[in-house]
Amino acid sequence: MNWRRFRSLIYDLLQVLPGRALPEWEELSRVEGNKPTVILVSGFAATNRNLSVMRRRLQNDGFNVVILALDWHALSDGVRGLYRMAEKLSSVVLELRKGPCRGDSQIFLVAHSAGGLVARYYVQLLGGFHYTDALVTLATPHQGTWLPILGLFSHLIIKARCLLQMTPISPLIRKINASQFPVGFRLISIFSADDLMCPVHATKINLLAADPGAIESIELPGVSHGGFLVRKKSYRLVSQLLKTAQAPVVKPEPASKTVPA
């Protein structure tokens, strides 16, 4: 491991504790119906600073932004884990659809780390594909990873249920990978070989896809786990994908490509 990769790992470990969700992040009354809305679903290594950076950039690009955070202070996350977050995401989207985001208003999901598992569970098993338009995941372990087990020997044990749900044998991982993916719904997974907390093999998308052309994997070199929320090149890619998310899907099979560093 070279010095740059080691420094990135230390940086991610220092930020692995989820921050406390700020009240204004979930304020739905600020959502304007004439703008597309992004729901940013966070997991581990998503501090208040990291989420605020992504939120500000999305707002500057003309998006409404609602943040659903894995909150260190929410004990229910430790009891029910990621299932609770998926149910909360469902409630937030329904409120938006009943309010400012009626009709043709677009709602996109951008999910980081464990948040991507939450978003997939919502889209595939809670009917979320009916109410949202696309999902972009950042550094999400779609196949699960054993690294979260290390958190059980640290202060993160209070989030033990969430950590266990990220392992390859968890019922949540098995359910989302065994469930058929909705026809026409776009899922784009962005990953990095330089993300030492979410190995490349864990990010592979292997599911029953009724429309495989809607599934895409993109490698973004030189980005650490927490860096997906703050690096400009990561945001530029997310912004580009959101702007083209409604384009017709023409690819015959899942694509895997690399974005130049």
Side-chain angles (χ1 to χ4, degrees):
M1 182 186 298
N2 60 36
W3 170 247
R4 181 177 63 82
R5 287 166 64 85
F6 178 74
R7 184 177 60 185
S8 294
L9 177 60
I10 297 301
Y11 173 80
D12 282 334
L13 288 174
L14 291 174
Q15 300 190 97
V16 76
L17 187 63
R20 184 172 189 175
L22 303 179
E24 61 267 27
W25 286 355
E26 299 178 11
E27 185 52 68
L28 302 187
S29 64
R30 300 185 182 185
V31 173
E32 301 175 37
N34 60 337
K35 294 181 180 180
T37 298
V38 170
I39 301 179
L40 183 56
V41 188
S42 76
F44 291 92
T47 64
N48 286 1
R49 173 186 173 274
N50 289 357
L51 291 171
S52 295
V53 169
M54 178 67 83
R55 177 175 180 263
R56 183 178 66 252
R57 286 172 173 166
L58 286 166
Q59 289 177 327
N60 289 341
D61 264 357
F63 292 97
N64 296 306
V65 183
V66 177
I67 297 180
L68 186 64
L70 178 62
D71 194 340
W72 173 254
H73 294 75
L75 294 180
S76 54
D77 284 343
V79 177
R80 300 199 61 238
L82 303 179
Y83 292 115
R84 186 201 72 86
M85 286 189 68
E87 292 166 359
K88 185 174 182 180
L89 174 58
S90 178
S91 297
V92 168
V93 173
L94 286 177
E95 283 190 56
L96 288 172
R97 283 301 182 198
K98 291 177 181 178
C101 295
R102 295 180 180 178
D104 296 329
S105 296
Q106 297 171 317
I107 298 179
F108 301 112
L109 305 176
V110 175
H112 176 256
S113 187
L117 303 178
V118 171
R120 276 192 58 189
Y121 188 86
Y122 164 65
V123 168
Q124 293 177 242
L125 296 166
L126 299 183
F129 67 94
H130 290 298
Y131 307 105
T132 56
D133 297 280
L135 166 61
V136 178
T137 65
L138 306 170
T140 291
H142 295 282
Q143 296 299 316
T145 173
W146 293 106
L147 289 177
I149 293 295
L150 297 176
L152 298 178
F153 302 96
S154 71
H155 55 287
L156 292 177
I157 193 171
I158 195 172
K159 294 294 182 185
R161 185 72 186 276
C162 296
L163 294 171
L164 293 173
Q165 287 172 335
M166 296 172 67
T167 62
I169 61 172
S170 78
L172 185 145
I173 293 285
R174 290 181 175 181
K175 284 179 181 178
I176 62 176
N177 286 318
S179 301
Q180 190 167 23
F181 205 75
V183 176
F185 190 90
R186 297 195 67 184
L187 166 61
I188 304 107
S189 170
I190 305 176
F191 65 95
S192 176
D194 294 291
D195 178 0
L196 301 181
M197 294 187 65
C198 185
V200 172
H201 69 268
T203 67
K204 300 299 182 182
I205 302 175
N206 181 22
L207 43 71
L208 299 173
D211 186 4
I215 312 299
E216 187 173 4
S217 294
I218 303 176
E219 182 176 2
L220 191 62
V223 181
S224 66
H225 196 68
F228 276 99
L229 293 171
V230 295
R231 293 289 299 276
K232 287 184 178 179
K233 69 176 182 177
S234 174
Y235 178 74
R236 283 195 295 266
L237 177 57
V238 171
S239 178
Q240 175 187 344
L241 291 170
L242 290 176
K243 290 175 182 177
T244 60
Q246 288 300 305
V249 177
V250 296
K251 295 181 181 179
E253 58 184 8
S256 181
K257 59 186 179 182
T258 299
V259 175

